[in-house]
Amino acid sequence: QVRSAVPDELRIGLALITLLGFVLFLIGSLFIARSVTTPLRELAEAADRLGAGDTSTPMRALHRADEIGHLAHAFEKMRASVDEKQSQILKLAYWDSLTGLPNRVQFRDAVREAIDRALSRGDSPTVAVIMLDLDRFKHVNDVLGYRVGDLLLGRVGERLSQQTVRGRDLVARLSGDEFAVLLHDGDAALAL
């Protein structure tokens, strides 16, 4: 019988070292894979939220200094930019940029809501709407210029807001030189 040149103890030791190396390699691979896939999965979920319209939730993995951290920072910049643009769009949709007052769309929605609320209460509450139009405003623009006309519109909006508004009442610029006031629980006498 031929004996092997490698003693059994050495063969067992090499097998154990190989097995230990394989286990350590497997654990290290799983750790590295998890440290990469988890942040990527979180970024994918954040991109899905952003695609669904959630621009308020900040990105995770911003603390990382590797490529995933750079990607997270890029996503965060994109999220913040989309959030800012969305805020600007909403502001343009519901607010007059010259006077800072609610615009025609917001005023219309507020009137509908006030009427619905008054009807649902049933004890004959009233809602008053006052429409104001500046006479000869075109003359102001023609003679003094659009800058002065814009300043005049801004001051009219300020004066109306300061002089006529109670708690929930609303002053709006509808267009050009037209303003409106919504008086919740207001009647004709209050409107006058």
Side-chain angles (χ1 to χ4, degrees), residues 23-113:
V23 168
L24 288 176
F25 175 76
L26 184 64
I27 291 171
S29 297
L30 290 174
F31 176 76
I32 290 172
R34 189 167 183 196
S35 70
V36 171
T37 58
T38 300
L40 287 177
R41 188 176 26 244
E42 289 174 355
L43 287 175
E45 290 169 0
D48 289 342
R49 283 193 311 269
L50 188 61
D54 177 9
T55 60
S56 60
T57 306
M59 299 291 161
R60 296 183 195 152
L62 293 173
H63 63 280
R64 295 177 64 127
D66 58 1
E67 289 81 9
I68 293 173
H70 294 302
L71 184 61
H73 280 285
F75 268 113
E76 178 61 18
K77 284 181 183 177
M78 182 177 70
R79 182 204 62 81
S81 177
V82 168
D83 189 41
E84 181 182 331
K85 298 289 187 256
Q86 187 175 13
S87 296
Q88 289 174 353
I89 289 169
L90 286 175
K91 186 172 182 179
L92 289 173
Y94 292 103
W95 297 92
D96 177 59
S97 59
L98 180 65
T99 62
L101 294 173
N103 66 10
R104 178 182 297 275
V105 174
Q106 188 177 156
F107 186 76
R108 180 200 63 210
D109 293 347
V111 169
R112 284 183 183 158
E113 183 181 309

Side-chain angles (χ1 to χ4, degrees), residues 132-148:
L132 304 162
D133 185 55
L134 302 179
D135 290 337
R136 296 183 297 279
F137 180 72
K138 184 179 180 323
H139 186 68
V140 171
N141 277 338
D142 291 343
V143 173
L144 300 174
Y146 290 106
R147 189 169 101 32
V148 172

